[in-house]
Amino acid sequence: MTDLVIRDAEVNGVPGVDVAISDGRITAVGPNLVAPTADVIDAEGGALIPGLHDHHLHLHAMAADAASVRCGPPAVRDPAALADALAAAAGDDNGWVRGVGYIETVAGDLDADRLDRLHAARPVRIQHRSGAIWILNGAAVTAARLNDASHPGVERGPDGHPTGRVWRADTWLRDRLPPSRPPRLDKVGAALTRFGVTGVTDATPDLSPQSQAAIAAAMSSGELPQRVHLLGPLPDESPFPTARLTIGPYKIVLADSGLPYLDDLADRIREVHNQGRAVAVHCVTREALLILLAVLDEVGTLPGDRVEHGAIIPRETIDGLHRRGLTVVTQPGFLADRGDDYLRDVDEPDLPDLYRCRSLIDAGIPVALSSDAPYGPLDPWAVMAAAMSRRTPTGQVVGPGERITAAQAMAAYLAPPDNPGGNPRRIHVRATADLVLLRAPLADVLAAPSADTVRATTIGGTVVESTG
């Protein structure tokens, strides 16, 4: 029995096609399908495409971000505005204020002392917009017991006291905060659905068992309808892999705040490879990428090994990336979000190396697009547009030679989660019915990508979002 028929859609470039769906899969594709008992959606000539997959984001950080105080542009641009925003914040159930999106243009290099001048009455922790560092005020330093902490991410001044800056230690810091449950994912799921995203790769490297369980529970309840691919836990640490919740490469962060010794990194990658699992390595600087390539020369690569972000990829490393069979999962949406900051702060010789796309594709390197939400813009259509234009908020172009076509940008969101940058998924009989119905033929949509063109999103054959 057919559950749903989408009529008069453009499918794989062919207009006037019907698609029948039953038990979560596509059962027939062709004109004038007969299914008298099925629910019917009239596509009115709009394109029907596979659901988009965001190949790198952070689910619980997105949920927490939505409930946090904006501490950077455009909401806050100077110390007075930051102090006002912190004072107006309601705080959580434990009286803590959580801020996000901070950048030094607001109030300089924040530490506990400077943050106390802005707000000392309650414990405050503010995340830098890079996601790499938390800044705590004096009350938060005391409450989190940073004075007796031994974690290497706790920055200390010449006198040995904590500065209030904590680097790359999210899980460790969370354990020192008042107990709380992982945030609900219903609003995250709804936002993704509105954009036509039917699957995501959660790239959180230190995803705790509690957070894994919370994601699985949100998926089971329908709060998070998307399929999820995890980069965090090793297989024997995760009892949750299912048809909808799967395990991908193992995430390793090469933090610019403290790059690893080559031998230590080699041992870590070798251990993961020996378990038959690829690695997904966070590289946002030239140095991090060069270290990774040197280590991979020693330990070798596995199919599926990938570079996360590739924020700076020197041209001289492109052949090496191809030769080692690496995939790059990148976020050109940052150019549209922060491009003017890059033009101001990044050394001019590095500007052509920012968030490369075309040169990698031309070299035969698989490239997938993603958001890095909440640290980058979530909207996949805006990311596609950024990959096509590479324009900053003021309209300047960063790396014009790295522009890609609309078709290439969309293909980079249609690759399967276990093969980012691979062949895009297509609509065919027996395929899983994760689909997006657009308001116009695909060529018209790609001429000016916009989330407004998403009319309905179907996951596993169920319409989870429809705007008529």
Side-chain angles (χ1 to χ4, degrees):
M1 177 178 172
T2 300
D3 303 320
L4 176 67
V5 174
I6 301 173
R7 295 201 182 281
D8 188 26
E10 179 194 77
V11 177
N12 300 327
V14 179
V17 176
D18 298 346
V19 175
I21 298 168
S22 182
D23 294 328
R25 292 192 176 274
I26 296 172
T27 55
V29 178
N32 303 315
L33 297 181
V34 177
T37 63
D39 293 331
V40 174
I41 296 177
D42 185 351
E44 301 176 349
L48 186 68
I49 64 172
L52 306 181
H53 188 92
D54 190 320
H55 292 278
H56 182 122
L57 51 63
H58 306 271
L59 288 168
H60 281 130
M62 290 170 63
D65 179 89
S68 300
V69 182
R70 306 293 110 180
C71 295
V76 167
R77 296 187 181 276
D78 56 46
L82 178 56
D84 289 344
L86 295 175
D92 63 17
D93 292 342
N94 297 294
W96 282 63
V97 175
R98 185 185 194 273
V100 295
Y102 183 77
I103 182 174
E104 288 78 6
T105 57
V106 173
D109 287 324
L110 275 187
D111 57 17
D113 290 340
R114 291 185 178 184
L115 190 48
D116 276 343
R117 295 187 202 114
L118 299 173
H119 193 91
R122 297 173 292 174
V124 174
R125 59 183 178 118
I126 296 177
Q127 189 178 45
H128 190 273
R129 72 173 186 178
S130 67
I133 181 174
W134 285 97
I135 306 107
L136 281 63
N137 71 353
V141 166
T142 299
R145 309 182 311 282
L146 294 193
N147 281 301
D148 60 13
S150 60
H151 192 283
V154 177
E155 182 182 279
R156 295 182 181 275
D159 60 1
H161 290 99
T163 64
R165 296 156 64 94
V166 181
W167 295 84
R168 296 283 179 194
D170 286 31
T171 298
W172 176 88
L173 180 58
R174 195 176 301 118
D175 289 341
R176 290 190 164 230
L177 302 179
S180 63
R181 293 174 54 83
R184 287 177 55 86
L185 295 174
D186 53 334
K187 293 181 180 179
V188 170
L192 291 165
T193 302
R194 285 194 298 273
F195 289 134
V197 176
T198 61
V200 301
T201 295
D202 189 293
T204 308
D206 52 358
L207 203 63
S208 68
Q210 182 188 25
S211 293
Q212 296 172 44
I215 290 173
M219 295 172 69
S220 179
S221 70
E223 180 180 308
L224 182 71
Q226 284 73 26
R227 301 177 194 277
V228 178
H229 200 53
L230 297 178
L231 300 189
L234 288 168
D236 60 359
E237 297 172 348
S238 174
F240 301 113
T242 65
R244 294 182 60 230
L245 179 59
T246 54
I247 303 295
Y250 181 63
K251 177 78 174 290
I252 296 174
V253 175
L254 301 189
D256 49 316
S257 58
L259 292 170
Y261 292 109
L262 268 64
D263 287 347
D264 292 342
L265 179 59
D267 289 344
R268 194 173 181 193
I269 294 177
R270 191 179 290 113
E271 177 186 2
V272 176
H273 279 178
N274 286 342
Q275 297 181 28
R277 192 177 184 192
V279 293
V281 185
H282 166 114
C283 295
V284 298
T285 64
R286 177 187 303 266
E287 292 77 13
L289 182 61
L290 294 176
I291 286 173
L292 172 63
L293 296 180
V295 167
L296 291 178
D297 281 340
E298 176 185 344
V299 304
T301 59
L302 281 184
D305 284 346
R306 50 194 264 189
V307 174
E308 302 298 308
H309 306 299
I312 293 181
I313 295 182
R315 178 165 290 280
E316 63 270 19
T317 66
I318 293 176
D319 287 344
L321 289 167
H322 179 258
R323 176 166 44 83
R324 295 171 179 87
L326 297 172
T327 292
V328 175
V329 179
T330 191
Q331 297 95 29
F334 279 120
L335 299 174
D337 189 53
R338 307 178 186 176
D340 293 314
D341 294 338
Y342 296 150
L343 290 174
R344 182 191 65 237
D345 299 334
V346 173
D347 292 339
E348 188 170 350
D350 288 336
L351 289 175
D353 300 333
L354 281 172
Y355 295 103
R356 288 185 179 272
C357 290
R358 175 170 290 281
S359 58
L360 302 180
I361 293 172
D362 288 348
I365 297 167
V367 173
L369 298 186
S370 59
S371 66
D372 196 25
Y375 311 111
L378 175 62
D379 182 350
W381 305 93
V383 175
M384 291 182 215
M388 294 160 57
S389 73
R390 299 183 66 87
R391 290 191 180 278
T392 73
T394 60
Q396 299 185 72
V397 177
V398 181
E402 293 297 329
R403 290 168 167 157
I404 59 177
T405 67
Q408 288 173 319
M410 174 164 279
Y413 266 103
L414 293 179
D418 59 354
N419 187 22
N423 292 329
R425 291 168 291 121
R426 292 173 64 83
I427 292 175
H428 59 85
V429 174
R430 293 185 297 278
T432 300
D434 293 349
L435 305 168
V436 179
L437 178 60
L438 304 176
R439 298 183 184 279
L442 190 57
D444 295 343
V445 171
L446 292 183
S450 167
D452 292 339
T453 62
V454 175
R455 177 179 162 191
T457 302
T458 300
I459 301 179
T462 299
V463 179
V464 292
E465 174 77 12
S466 178
T467 57

